[in-house]
Amino acid sequence: MDASAPSAAPGSASSAARTTPRRAGAFQTGRQRLRYWLVLSLMIVLSFGFGFGLLAYDNPIPISDDRFWIIAKMRATDVVVMALVATCQAVATVAFQTVTNNRIITPSIMGFESLYVAVQTSAVYFLGVAGVVAVQGVPQFALQVALMVLFAMFLYGWLLSGRYANLQVMLLVGIIIGAGLGSVSTFMQRLLTPSEFDVLTARLFGSVTNADESYLPLAIPLCLVGTVGILLRSRRLNVVALGRDISMGLGVNHRAEIIKVLFLVSILMAVSTAMIGRMTFLGFLVATLAYQFSGTHDHRYTLPMAGLTGFVVLSGAYFVMRNIFSAAGVVSILIEFVGGIVFLVVILRKGRL
């Protein structure tokens, strides 16, 4: 019997073990990966279905007629706005929850939209009904986006990425600032005439109809910059989600990364809010569903799922409420109601913020 044979077998096994590649993927099993791609494919199909349905449903002109596309083109603005808002809200919320390491808070809950209310109310208070017209237009839209980005960067950049960053302090300061701006806005609203108040209320009510087609040439590039910027940082977001100490140990500049992500998040939220107004719980609802549908924490998969889920929720709600119940105006109320319930359920299950 060869004495080298027994030692050769273990050696061969260990050599094979050393040459076997080890990977840490986004999915633990192939079944989870298959489930993700099936759900993503379903979301893509639903997105095309609802999008085309909003363009074609109840169109009196046959699709073979050229006039059909004239009516479809008039409706296309609303579909594009829905896609922009859904993408901005979904991507911004997922990224924000990652850098804050909290699945509950969102940029909207932090009082971000209070500045939008303050700007709109101030315009009507000082200029009357003409103030609504004064804050409309591409220059005014660009100014509102710039103000919101500066406000968000001051709040989040200072309180989250500073040397003594503290989530509880950020929550408290954000709520206080939002409440303060809300109180000032409420005071001015009480001094308005009934007609001015009605016009202002219609403007503050979150709706796709608030968007102006002239905003799109500016809103689309800003949305692309914010979305693509966050998607390109997906791998870094995966590391940031591990915490400050671990991410720094892995070579990621935690403070600089948070500042960059917050800047992109503020752009997305500013565009969404300035386009259609307040939709506080849309981002939270979409992000929560995206986490459940994805089955992974890898942002390379979660972010696309969140964007598609947001468009399906928003366009599907508008399609059903507009064409079946003839109540398109209550879509934002319905989304806020469902999102608020989901928010409370998540808090009650977690037992903490």
Side-chain angles (χ1 to χ4, degrees), residues 219-255:
I220 291 176
L222 289 175
C223 179
L224 288 175
V225 168
T227 302
V228 174
I230 291 178
L231 286 174
L232 292 177
R233 315 194 78 81
S234 295
R235 294 181 182 273
R236 290 180 174 267
L237 283 173
N238 292 339
V239 179
V240 170
L242 299 175
R244 179 178 179 273
D245 295 336
I246 297 178
S247 60
M248 292 183 66
L250 293 174
V252 174
N253 189 332
H254 189 265
R255 181 177 184 275

Side-chain angles (χ1 to χ4, degrees), residues 139-163:
Q140 292 86 341
F141 173 76
L143 179 61
Q144 290 186 68
V145 171
L147 288 175
M148 292 179 190
V149 171
L150 291 175
F151 171 78
M153 287 305 300
F154 171 76
L155 178 60
Y156 304 143
W158 171 47
L159 294 175
L160 278 181
S161 61
R163 182 178 178 183

Side-chain angles (χ1 to χ4, degrees), residues 296-314:
T296 179
H297 299 284
D298 194 329
H299 292 80
R300 294 175 299 172
Y301 300 95
T302 305
L303 290 171
M305 180 67 76
L308 286 172
T309 302
F311 182 72
V312 169
V313 169
L314 195 56

Side-chain angles (χ1 to χ4, degrees), residues 62-120:
I63 192 172
S64 58
D65 196 320
D66 293 339
R67 292 175 298 175
F68 172 88
W69 300 105
I70 297 177
I71 298 177
K73 184 179 179 181
M74 296 172 61
R75 300 178 176 181
T77 300
D78 289 346
V79 177
V80 173
V81 171
M82 291 179 197
L84 282 175
V85 171
T87 302
C88 289
Q89 290 274 350
V91 174
T93 301
V94 172
F96 186 83
Q97 290 180 346
T98 297
V99 297
T100 57
N101 196 24
N102 191 295
R103 292 286 183 87
I104 298 296
I105 63 174
T106 68
S108 298
I109 295 175
M110 291 300 301
F112 183 85
E113 297 169 345
S114 298
L115 181 61
Y116 172 81
V117 177
V119 170
Q120 298 288 330

Side-chain angles (χ1 to χ4, degrees), residues 127-141:
L127 301 177
V129 177
V132 175
V133 180
V135 295
Q136 294 180 347
V138 177
Q140 292 86 341
F141 173 76

Side-chain angles (χ1 to χ4, degrees), residues 314-341:
L314 195 56
S315 61
Y318 267 96
F319 179 82
V320 172
M321 299 306 295
R322 175 186 294 175
N323 298 306
I324 297 180
F325 298 100
S326 300
V330 303
V331 169
S332 59
I333 297 177
L334 180 64
I335 291 177
E336 296 296 274
F337 177 73
V338 175
I341 292 178

Side-chain angles (χ1 to χ4, degrees), residues 168-242:
Q168 285 70 31
V169 172
M170 188 202 70
L171 283 168
L172 182 60
V173 174
I175 293 173
I176 290 174
I177 293 178
L181 291 174
S183 298
V184 173
S185 300
T186 302
F187 172 75
M188 290 189 290
Q189 290 171 12
R190 289 182 177 274
L191 301 179
L192 298 177
T193 63
S195 59
E196 293 173 342
F197 182 78
D198 288 342
V199 172
L200 175 63
T201 302
R203 183 64 186 172
L204 296 180
F205 189 75
S207 175
V208 173
T209 57
N210 288 340
D212 193 324
E213 186 177 0
S214 62
Y215 298 166
L216 295 180
L218 178 60
I220 291 176
L222 289 175
C223 179
L224 288 175
V225 168
T227 302
V228 174
I230 291 178
L231 286 174
L232 292 177
R233 315 194 78 81
S234 295
R235 294 181 182 273
R236 290 180 174 267
L237 283 173
N238 292 339
V239 179
V240 170
L242 299 175

